[in-house]
């Protein structure tokens, strides 16, 4: 509706909420002008940050949108793990994440959508590949976008994600009476490291709860 039209199936409009992306997010980073509106969609998110979306002010290169991480690895399976790029209302690059070669653990939990209209300008050469599913890697505009997302967005996520997870996941682990009893016997100077350990175990991408209990 924000673009002036709606799509419906059997009279029922298809909304952003139907994709359930926002409902899976544990943490969220809102990028660029007016991106705070996305926070309202991610009602289960524990934390969020606002990041600037200016890539090149002189050339008017900027992005808006959001990038988030899910609480569980399985929540981003089946092809959802990635960052889609939109330009002028349509998908122009299905998934930017593989192009960035990000190997840190948090990248396995990432979902995002960014709008970069400067990739599709009438007075510039067509940046799209022949299949219209991605953009040409050699175009300097795409290079500027990749550098920005990696340095300004993913590096910020990488700097805080582990700390946030350790703190929040350890709180969940301490709801277990046996773990809470063990934790309460530790000296104060050791509890910081215990929280880090609990957070790491809670963050392991395993689906079997029994295996996680064994690790604890």
């Amino acid at each position: 509706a924000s673009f002036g039209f709606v799509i419906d199936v059997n009279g029922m409009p298809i909304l952003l909420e139907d994709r359930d992306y926002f409902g899976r997010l544990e943490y969220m980073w809102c990028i660029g002008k007016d991106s705070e509106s996305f926070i309202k969609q991610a009602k289960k998110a524990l934390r969020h940050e606002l990041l600037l979306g200016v890539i090149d002010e002189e050339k008017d290169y900027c992005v808006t949108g959001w990038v988030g991480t899910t609480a569980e690895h399985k929540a981003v399976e089946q092809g959802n793990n990635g960052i889609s790029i939109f330009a002028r209302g349509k998908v122009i690059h299905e998934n930017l994440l593989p192009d960035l070669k990000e190997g840190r653990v948090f990248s396995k939990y990432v979902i995002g959508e960014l709008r970069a209209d400067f990739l599709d300008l009438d007075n510039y050469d067509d940046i799209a590949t022949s299949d219209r599913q991605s953009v040409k890697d050699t175009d300097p505009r795409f290079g500027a976008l990749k550098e920005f997302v990696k340095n300004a967005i993913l590096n910020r996520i990488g700097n805080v994600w582990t700390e946030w997870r350790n703190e929040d996941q350890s709180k969940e682990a301490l709801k277990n009476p046996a773990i809470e009893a063990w934790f309460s016997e530790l000296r104060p100077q050791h509890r910081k490291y215990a929280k880090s350990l609990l957070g790491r175990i809670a963050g392991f991408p395993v689906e079997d709860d029994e295996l996680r209990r064994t690790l604890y």
Side-chain angles (χ1 to χ4, degrees), residues 195-208:
K195 284 186 177 182
S196 177
L197 175 61
L198 294 174
R200 287 177 181 273
I201 294 175
F204 283 170
V206 296
E207 298 182 18
D208 189 342

Side-chain angles (χ1 to χ4, degrees), residues 20-26 41-45:
D20 196 31
Y21 283 178
F22 295 120
R24 306 174 192 175
L25 297 183
E26 182 178 40
Q41 303 288 336
K43 296 179 180 179
K44 295 181 181 179

Side-chain angles (χ1 to χ4, degrees), residues 31-148:
I31 298 99
K33 185 178 179 181
D34 299 326
S35 61
E36 299 95 324
S37 61
F38 294 115
I39 299 171
K40 299 177 182 178
Q41 303 288 336
K43 296 179 180 179
K44 295 181 181 179
L46 300 178
R47 309 183 192 225
H48 70 271
E49 285 188 328
L50 302 178
L51 302 178
L52 297 177
V54 178
I55 298 176
D56 189 320
E57 187 172 10
E58 183 177 341
K59 295 180 179 179
D60 197 26
Y61 290 177
C62 61
V63 297
T64 59
W66 60 275
V67 175
T69 55
T70 62
E72 297 179 293
H73 182 252
K74 62 183 178 182
V76 293
E77 291 180 348
Q78 300 178 346
N80 291 327
N81 177 211
I83 302 174
S84 300
I85 307 299
F86 291 76
R88 299 172 69 173
K90 61 181 182 292
V91 176
I92 195 170
H93 198 76
E94 287 189 333
N95 187 1
L96 184 66
L97 200 55
D99 298 284
L100 305 178
K101 297 179 174 58
E102 176 57 67
R104 285 174 285 183
V105 174
F106 77 85
S107 66
K108 307 302 180 185
Y109 297 77
V110 163
I111 302 176
E113 294 183 348
L114 298 175
R115 177 177 176 178
D117 287 344
F118 68 90
L119 295 179
D120 187 16
L121 300 174
D122 292 335
N123 55 335
Y124 280 75
D125 292 337
D126 186 7
I127 196 174
T129 55
S130 57
D131 61 6
R132 317 306 293 181
Q133 301 300 307
S134 59
V135 298
K136 298 172 183 176
D137 189 60
T138 56
D139 193 288
R141 287 171 291 169
F142 186 54
L145 175 66
K146 290 194 297 182
E147 183 177 358
F148 174 81

Side-chain angles (χ1 to χ4, degrees), residues 5-23:
F5 67 92
V6 296
I7 299 174
D8 64 69
V9 176
N10 296 327
M12 297 296 293
I14 298 176
L15 306 174
L16 284 173
E17 292 85 349
D18 294 323
R19 293 177 298 179
D20 196 31
Y21 283 178
F22 295 120

